[in-house]
Amino acid sequence: MQVVALDIGGTKIAMAIVDEQGTIVREVRRPTVPGGDAEELFAPVADGLPELLAGWDPGDEVLVGIGSAGPINEPKGTISPINVPGWRDFPVSARVEAVVAEVTGRRVRVGLAGDGHCIALGEHWLGAGRGADSMVGMIVSTGVGGGAVLGGRLFYGDFGNAVHVGHTSVNFLGTACDCGSRGCVEMYARGPAMVAYARELGWEGEDARALADDARAGDETARAAIDRGMRALAAGIAALSAELDVRVFVIGGGVANAGEVVFAPLRKHLADFSGTLFVPSIDLRQAELDNAGLVGAAAVGLGLVGLGPLRPH
């Protein structure tokens, strides 16, 4: 069996045909239209899907899994990504279904999940979370997202936004976040936040990659900025561990890809928040997949017929 998977992000949209072993058979990528309105943002999907599906025989029914930045409303099939203001309550499931149906002439079923959930699914299926009955998967990049697989099944919540650690408050006196809360993990741990703080301290580099490079080379200001961000992330991880009774945490994304310059302070600060009766230990793992979001979106599609960790539709 093969499914169609879409990974919708703030800078790119990846679309693929994926088999039930998680192998990508064919892939098409399009850049996201920055600052576009709803239709301009959807145009790369409408343009890319016909190219992806050309000459493909899906059988009697096409299964589609979509992963998107959130928040999402999974029951309604809509998305409202915080960092994509042109999409508010955009009916992405229905729009994708219509394009795929027109191109293939087949019956179409669509499943929708948040991008953090898809990353968790991908790593649980084929990556660093293999063999774990329960785990939390997280992405630390331009934002901080996550999702949990509990007892082998994706934990959705009521609307599909459960376990969004990036918008867990770790400072109730903190400044307001774009999500409407205060002191969210993302405000300290995401790449641009650490860069902004480093600049407040006098650092003059360009981006999170340069920040990690300078920290690796011994720059104390860069190290201090990363240390602050990882302390906030450690607080969020420990809170989730206590709330969900989960020990395995898989961390991926651009910031996490910096390696030990990020993971060393993260482990150090986790020691301050763990070792308690409710959080005795945390098994911290670095993500293994470069395309966990796309693989996880395929798992969402497979779940429509009971082959993936998704609640029945």
Side-chain angles (χ1 to χ4, degrees), residues 21 24 46 57 59 63-64 70 94 102 105 114 116 118 129 142 149 185 202 218 221 256 260 266 275 282 302:
Q21 284 75 47
I24 294 177
D57 183 4
L63 302 177
V64 181
E102 181 179 359
C118 288
T142 54
V149 176
V185 169
T221 301
E260 277 302 293
L266 179 56
I282 289 175
L302 289 167

Side-chain angles (χ1 to χ4, degrees), residues 20-303:
E20 59 188 289
Q21 284 75 47
T23 302
I24 294 177
V25 178
R26 185 186 303 172
E27 183 177 357
V28 169
R29 292 187 176 226
R30 292 287 189 273
T32 303
V33 179
D37 63 22
E39 293 306 317
E40 289 172 328
L41 286 161
F42 188 72
V45 178
D47 172 69
L49 281 173
E51 179 181 338
L52 176 72
L53 301 173
W56 178 57
D57 183 4
D60 294 335
E61 181 178 58
V62 185
L63 302 177
V64 181
I66 303 173
S68 172
I72 70 169
N73 186 318
E74 186 268 343
K76 291 175 59 179
T78 61
I79 59 175
S80 303
I82 288 176
N83 295 325
V84 186
W87 272 343
R88 290 292 176 265
D89 294 320
F90 184 74
V92 69
S93 293
R95 294 295 301 274
V96 168
E97 178 181 349
V99 173
V100 174
E102 181 179 359
V103 173
T104 64
R106 303 293 198 277
R107 182 173 65 252
V108 180
R109 279 200 282 169
V110 178
L112 173 65
D115 54 357
H117 287 182
C118 288
I119 287 164
L121 286 174
E123 290 291 338
H124 182 262
W125 183 15
L126 298 173
R130 291 188 307 275
D133 186 55
S134 297
M135 60 156 278
V136 171
M138 296 175 57
I139 181 168
V140 184
S141 186
T142 54
V144 178
V149 176
L150 304 178
R153 304 285 290 181
L154 177 66
F155 176 51
Y156 246 80
D158 288 341
F159 297 100
N161 299 300
V163 196
H164 203 314
V165 64
H167 293 287
T168 296
S169 176
V170 291
N171 180 5
F172 69 93
L173 296 176
T175 56
C177 177
D178 288 342
C179 77
S181 185
R182 289 184 175 274
C184 293
V185 169
E186 185 171 290
M187 298 181 69
Y188 307 98
R190 71 190 190 110
M194 290 190 289
V195 167
Y197 182 65
R199 287 175 178 159
E200 287 180 20
L201 299 179
W203 183 73
E204 297 180 351
E206 293 184 4
D207 53 23
R209 185 187 298 273
L211 187 71
D213 289 342
D214 284 358
R216 198 176 292 112
D219 186 300
E220 291 301 324
T221 301
R223 287 186 174 185
I226 291 174
D227 187 80
R228 176 179 181 263
M230 291 306 100
R231 184 167 182 81
L233 185 61
I237 288 173
L240 272 181
S241 181
E243 291 164 359
L244 299 178
D245 193 20
V246 172
R247 301 289 176 265
V248 177
F249 282 75
V250 177
I251 316 295
V255 171
N257 289 343
E260 277 302 293
V261 73
V262 165
F263 275 86
L266 179 56
R267 282 193 295 267
K268 178 188 75 173
H269 290 304
L270 277 173
D272 291 339
F273 295 104
S274 61
T276 68
L277 292 176
F278 287 102
V279 188
S281 63
I282 289 175
D283 181 356
L284 187 68
R285 306 179 186 180
Q286 186 166 2
E288 296 179 359
L289 303 179
D290 293 329
N291 57 357
L294 196 57
V295 170
V300 171
L302 289 167

